[in-house]
C-alpha cells in the first residue's frame, strides 16, 4: 500500500505477521526500508494488509489480525479488523490500537471510502459464522475509529465464473482486497477475486453510480476482469493506485504477483503505469514481465541521472551552519592529503560501501544541505545519483567502523561540516556530537580503499569541498 503525501511516498507493510512498518521515500520505483511503528501484543497475531490513511488530521492504519480474548462474532482464531491511530500528524507515530471494529464477523482487507463528506468502510468478510465464502461489505463510519450501523453486502461474489475461487460452477465466489480509485468525479472499487494462492487471481471492477454507497443497486459490476495474468506474470491482485506527483494525472499501479505458476503464497511487488479509456474507466493493460525496464515515474530520477539545475538552485543560498562559509549545494568531497589517485568520496552501486575513487561522476557527487528539524549546524549528505535502490544518505554504524548509505535521515546520518583552523579552507566532517562515540570524524585509509570514522583530525580526516556546477 502506497500513498503520496507532501511530495513523498509513504509505504505501509507488515513483516513476520506481527510488526507493521512505514517507509517514506522520494522515489516510487525504489521504496526504502520501512521503520517499525507498531508490534502486536502477545494475544494478537497474523497481522495482514495494513493500509495507511490520513483522516481528520491524523494517520490511521487499518489492518486485519487474529486476537485471543477480543470480543467478536468472528471468534478469537479468525481475523478481525483493527485500526491504529497516530497521536499527531506524523506517519511514524506513535500509534494507539483501536478495535476490533464492529464488522459483524470475520473481516480482512479494510479500506476507507471518503464520499460526499462522509466516511465508509469497505472490507472482505464472511456471510455467516463458520463460512469461508468471502463477500464485499460496506458500512458507515461515524469517525475513523467507529463503524456506525449494519454492514451491507454491496454485490454478489459469483456473478461470473472468473470471480469464483476457481472458474468452475462448483466453486464458491471469493471477493477480497477492495481498493478505492477516484478520478474525474467517478468512484471505482477495484477488488481481487479468485484464490490468491493460484495463478488465476485477478482484478474486477465496481463503479458507484448513485449517491449512497450502502445501496447495493448503486454499484455496477464490470462483466469481465480488468486485470489478469499474462504468460509470464500470474496471480495478480490486491492493488494500490497512486499519482506520480501532486496534481498530476500520471497514475501508477502497485500490486503483487505470484513468484511461480504453482499454488502458493510466495509473491513479489510490481509497479507499472496505467491510464484511462475514452469512457473514463481505468485501463490497466497487461501485467509487465518481471525484469522488463520501464520509464521511471515523473519526479523520480533515473539511476544515473544528475539533479537538474532547478533542484540545485533550491539549495543554493542556504547556510550549512553558523559561521560556515559553505553554502548548500552539490559538491565533490575530496580527501585533501591525496593530490592524485583515489581521492573523491564515493560509494558502490548499491550504497553498501563507501571508499575513495580516482574520477568524479554521479557516485562521487554529494548533495549537502541543512537537515530539516535538526540543530542549525547539522547537515545531511546525500548521493547525487548512480546508486540502485533507496539508500541515499551518508551514514555510519554504531561504532564508526563502517560508512555507507542509508535510506532515511536520522541520528547516524547527521553530520557537522566545519572549517578547521589553519587548514587553508579544509573541512572536517563529524558525526553529530551528541551521537558520536570516540570515532566521530569522516576518514579514509592511506590507499583510499576504506572510508570510516576516526577519533581525531589529521591529514586523512581533512576534506576539500569542490562545488559542482551543471
Amino acid at each position: 500500500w502506497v500513498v503520496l503525501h507532501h511530495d513523498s511516498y509513504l509505504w505501509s507493510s507488515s513483516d513476520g505477521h506481527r510488526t507493521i512498518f512505514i517507509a517514506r521515500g522520494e522515489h516510487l520505483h525504489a521504496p526504502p526500508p520501512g521503520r517499525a511503528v507498531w508490534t502486536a501484543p502477545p494475544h494478537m497475531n497474523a497481522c495482514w494488509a495494513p493500509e495507511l490513511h490520513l483522516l481528520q488530521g491524523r494517520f490511521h492504519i487499518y489492518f486485519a489480525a487474529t486476537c485471543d480474548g477480543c470480543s467478536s462474532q468472528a471468534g478469537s482464531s479468525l481475523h478481525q479488523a483493527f485500526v491504529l491511530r497516530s497521536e499527531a500528524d506524523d506517519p511514524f507515530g506513535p500509534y494507539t490500537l483501536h478495535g476490533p471494529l464492529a464488522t459483524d464477523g470475520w473481516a480482512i482487507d479494510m479500506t476507507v471510502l471518503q464520499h460526499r463528506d462522509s466516511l465508509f468502510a469497505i472490507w472482505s468478510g464472511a456471510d455467516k459464522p463458520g463460512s469461508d465464502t468471502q463477500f464485499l461489505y460496506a458500512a458507515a463510519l461515524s469517525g475513523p475509529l467507529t463503524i456506525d450501523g449494519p454492514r451491507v453486502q454491496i454485490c454478489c461474489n459469483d456473478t461470473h465464473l472468473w470471480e469464483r475461487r476457481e472458474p468452475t460452477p462448483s466453486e464458491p465466489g471469493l471477493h477480497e482486497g477492495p481498493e478505492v480509485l477516484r478520478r474525474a468525479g467517478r468512484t471505482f472499487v477495484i477488488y481481487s477475486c479468485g484464490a490468491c494462492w493460484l495463478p488465476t487471481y485477478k482484478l474486477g471492477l465496481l463503479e458507484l453510480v448513485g449517491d449512497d454507497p450502502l445501496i447495493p443497486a448503486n454499484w455496477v459490476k464490470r462483466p469481465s476482469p480488468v486485470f489478469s495474468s499474462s504468460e509470464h506474470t500470474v496471480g495478480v491482485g490486491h492493488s494500490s493506485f497512486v499519482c506520480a506527483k501532486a496534481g498530476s494525472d500520471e497514475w501508477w499501479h502497485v500490486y503483487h504477483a505470484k513468484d511461480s505458476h504453482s499454488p502458493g503464497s510466495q509473491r513479489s511487488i510490481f509497479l507499472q503505469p496505467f491510464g484511462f479509456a475514452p469512457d473514463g474507466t481505468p485501463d490497466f493493460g497487461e501485467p509487465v514481465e518481471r525484469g522488463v525496464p520501464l520509464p521511471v515515474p515523473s519526479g523520480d530520477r533515473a539511476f544515473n541521472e544528475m539533479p537538474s539545475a532547478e533542484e540545485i538552485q533550491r539549495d543554493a543560498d542556504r547556510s550549512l551552519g553558523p559561521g560556515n562559509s559553505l553554502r548548500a549545494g552539490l559538491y565533490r568531497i575530496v580527501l585533501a592529503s591525496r593530490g592524485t589517485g583515489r581521492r573523491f568520496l564515493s560509494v558502490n552501486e548499491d550504497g553498501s560501501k563507501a571508499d575513495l575513487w580516482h574520477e568524479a561522476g554521479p557516485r562521487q557527487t554529494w548533495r549537502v544541505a541543512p537537515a530539516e528539524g535538526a540543530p542549525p549546524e547539522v547537515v545531511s549528505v546525500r548521493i547525487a545519483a548512480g546508486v540502485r535502490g533507496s539508500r541515499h544518505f551518508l551514514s555510519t554504524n554504531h561504532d564508526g567502523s563502517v560508512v555507507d548509505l542509508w535510506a532515511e535521515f536520522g541520528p547516524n546520518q547527521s553530520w557537522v561540516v566545519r572549517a578547521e583552523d589553519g587548514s587553508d579552507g579544509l573541512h572536517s566532517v563529524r558525526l553529530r556530537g551528541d551521537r558520536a562515540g570516540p570515532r566521530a570524524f569522516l576518514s579514509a585509509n592511506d590507499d583510499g580503499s576504506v572510508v570510516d570514522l576516526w577519533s581525531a583530525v589529521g591529514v586523512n580526516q581533512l576534506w576539500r569541498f569542490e562545488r559542482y556546477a551543471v
Side-chain angles (χ1 to χ4, degrees):
W1 174 263
V2 58
V3 294
L4 181 65
H5 179 65
H6 294 334
D7 294 326
S8 294
Y9 297 100
L10 298 174
W11 300 74
S12 55
S13 62
S14 61
D15 184 61
H17 294 300
R18 297 187 55 79
T19 301
I20 291 177
F21 292 82
I22 299 295
R24 178 164 54 198
E26 296 181 359
H27 301 296
L28 181 59
H29 74 285
R35 184 190 307 178
V37 298
W38 182 81
T39 297
H43 66 285
M44 297 180 67
N45 205 348
C47 299
W48 291 353
E51 286 194 11
L52 181 70
H53 295 263
L54 181 61
L55 302 169
Q56 299 178 359
R58 298 195 201 182
F59 284 95
H60 298 76
I61 303 174
Y62 294 84
F63 68 101
T66 60
C67 181
D68 293 333
C70 292
S71 175
S72 171
Q73 293 185 25
S76 62
S77 64
L78 299 177
H79 277 83
Q80 303 167 69
F82 296 84
V83 58
L84 300 170
R85 186 182 205 177
S86 66
E87 293 183 4
D89 61 353
D90 186 347
F92 295 106
Y95 283 91
T96 302
L97 176 67
H98 299 266
L101 302 184
T103 56
D104 192 24
W106 181 88
I108 62 171
D109 299 345
M110 182 170 285
T111 194
V112 175
L113 167 64
Q114 299 183 67
H115 179 70
R116 300 192 185 280
D117 299 322
S118 296
L119 298 178
F120 299 87
I122 304 176
W123 68 94
S124 175
D127 56 337
K128 58 187 176 183
S131 171
D132 63 353
T133 302
Q134 294 174 236
F135 295 87
L136 296 184
Y137 290 95
L141 292 167
S142 59
L145 308 178
T146 307
I147 288 179
D148 183 19
R151 67 179 188 174
V152 174
Q153 180 187 315
I154 61 174
C155 68
C156 183
N157 69 353
D158 59 1
T159 310
H160 308 285
L161 287 181
W162 55 264
E163 296 180 283
R164 298 173 183 248
R165 190 174 296 171
E166 294 188 56
T168 62
S170 61
E171 289 288 331
L174 195 163
H175 283 184
E176 61 186 14
E179 302 297 353
V180 176
L181 173 59
R182 304 187 68 179
R183 179 182 180 269
R186 297 172 70 174
T187 298
F188 307 97
V189 166
I190 312 300
Y191 61 92
S192 303
C193 58
C196 66
W197 59 91
L198 296 178
T200 50
Y201 203 49
K202 62 185 73 66
L203 298 180
L205 178 147
L206 298 172
E207 182 174 7
L208 181 63
V209 296
D211 285 341
D212 189 349
L214 300 182
I215 298 177
N218 286 342
W219 293 96
V220 174
K221 182 187 293 185
R222 176 74 71 87
S224 57
V226 292
F227 195 63
S228 55
S229 298
S230 64
E231 178 183 358
H232 300 286
T233 305
V234 300
V236 295
H238 210 154
S239 302
S240 182
F241 312 107
V242 63
C243 285
K245 55 185 177 180
S248 79
D249 198 35
E250 179 186 322
W251 288 85
W252 288 79
H253 183 190
V254 184
Y255 62 96
H256 61 62
K258 284 175 50 58
D259 290 343
S260 75
H261 285 70
S262 302
S265 299
Q266 291 72 42
R267 299 178 292 212
S268 298
I269 302 297
F270 282 67
L271 170 71
Q272 67 184 76
F274 74 96
F276 291 82
D279 66 358
T281 58
D283 180 0
F284 296 110
E286 290 191 352
V288 295
E289 183 178 351
R290 187 186 301 266
V292 172
L294 296 172
V296 299
S298 296
D300 289 21
R301 283 204 307 274
F303 163 67
N304 224 29
E305 181 183 354
M306 292 289 282
S308 66
E310 291 76 13
E311 288 181 273
I312 295 171
Q313 186 59 37
R314 292 178 204 154
D315 291 335
D317 296 323
R318 303 170 70 191
S319 168
L320 294 184
N324 197 329
S325 61
L326 292 177
R327 315 299 289 180
L330 289 186
Y331 288 92
R332 302 309 182 12
I333 303 176
V334 182
L335 188 66
S337 64
R338 299 181 64 82
T340 59
R342 294 171 63 154
R343 61 195 185 98
F344 294 97
L345 180 64
S346 177
V347 291
N348 60 350
E349 269 199 14
D350 66 2
S352 62
K353 180 181 183 295
D355 57 8
L356 300 187
W357 198 241
H358 52 80
E359 294 177 332
R363 291 206 311 273
Q364 295 78 40
T365 306
W366 301 85
R367 190 175 200 165
V368 185
E372 300 294 338
E377 72 277 7
V378 174
V379 303
S380 64
V381 181
R382 300 178 58 183
I383 197 68
V387 172
R388 299 190 186 279
S390 57
R391 296 166 61 153
H392 296 106
F393 290 95
L394 187 69
S395 177
T396 186
N397 63 344
H398 66 283
D399 66 1
S401 61
V402 173
V403 172
D404 55 9
L405 300 186
W406 196 242
E408 293 185 326
F409 180 82
N412 284 359
Q413 297 78 40
S414 300
W415 303 93
V416 177
V417 177
R418 186 172 76 90
E420 292 293 326
D421 294 339
S423 64
D424 193 25
L426 303 180
H427 291 73
S428 63
V429 180
R430 174 175 55 85
L431 190 66
R432 178 179 169 180
D434 60 352
R435 297 295 306 180
R439 295 169 62 157
F441 294 94
L442 190 68
S443 177
N445 66 345
D446 285 340
D447 67 2
S449 61
V450 174
V451 170
D452 55 10
L453 300 189
W454 198 243
S455 56
V457 176
V459 293
N460 282 3
Q461 295 79 41
L462 288 173
W463 303 86
R464 178 176 292 107
F465 281 68
E466 298 180 352
R467 184 175 283 275
Y468 169 84
V470 176

